[in-house]
Amino acid sequence: MKKIISIALILVVLVTAFSACGTPIEEKIAGKWTYQETILGIVTEKTFVFNADGTGTAPGEFTGDLIPLEMKWSITDNVLTVDKTVSKEPVSYTFVLKGDTLTLTKADGTVLTLTRAVAAE
């Protein structure tokens, strides 16, 4: 009887542990993220919007947030891939998410540090 109770207890612990693994990373990244970019001494704020359904918008290459580009995004392992509708190739970033900071690093070493935008009240 003790053996059966021990096995049942272990199963309960395992099921609880696996069910509490946490929120999927896609849900944690979904939302509006901003970063600042300085070009010729002019600081501009740029915005990425990651919708929960894998769509969103990204800053335009030359227009910034004036004309945001539609995009699709996905995560595989520790790589976030952004496919802008007008780009020839998707852009892949390794990423680190710590609280409200999302750090994206391209293969060429370019780093974008995004901050979760707080909704206006």
Side-chain angles (χ1 to χ4, degrees), residues 17-115:
F18 284 117
S19 66
C21 285
T23 306
I25 192 69
E26 290 85 355
E27 287 182 29
K28 291 180 181 180
I29 289 178
K32 184 176 180 180
W33 297 83
T34 62
Y35 69 99
Q36 291 186 340
E37 184 174 73
T38 303
I39 299 175
L40 300 173
I42 300 171
V43 179
T44 59
E45 185 171 274
K46 298 198 174 192
T47 304
F48 277 93
V49 176
F50 297 99
N51 297 323
D53 67 357
T55 64
T57 58
E61 298 300 320
F62 303 105
T63 61
D65 285 343
L66 294 175
I67 304 174
L69 301 175
E70 297 293 319
M71 69 170 187
K72 292 183 180 179
W73 66 279
S74 61
I75 295 175
T76 304
D77 297 324
N78 195 39
V79 177
L80 183 142
T81 301
V82 173
D83 189 359
K84 296 178 187 176
T85 54
V86 297
S87 298
K88 295 178 183 170
E89 297 289 326
V91 178
S92 294
Y93 304 90
T94 56
F95 70 91
V96 175
L97 177 62
K98 288 187 179 179
D100 288 335
T101 302
L102 177 61
T103 305
L104 304 177
T105 306
K106 285 185 184 180
D108 68 3
T110 303
V111 177
L112 297 177
T113 303
L114 288 72
T115 304

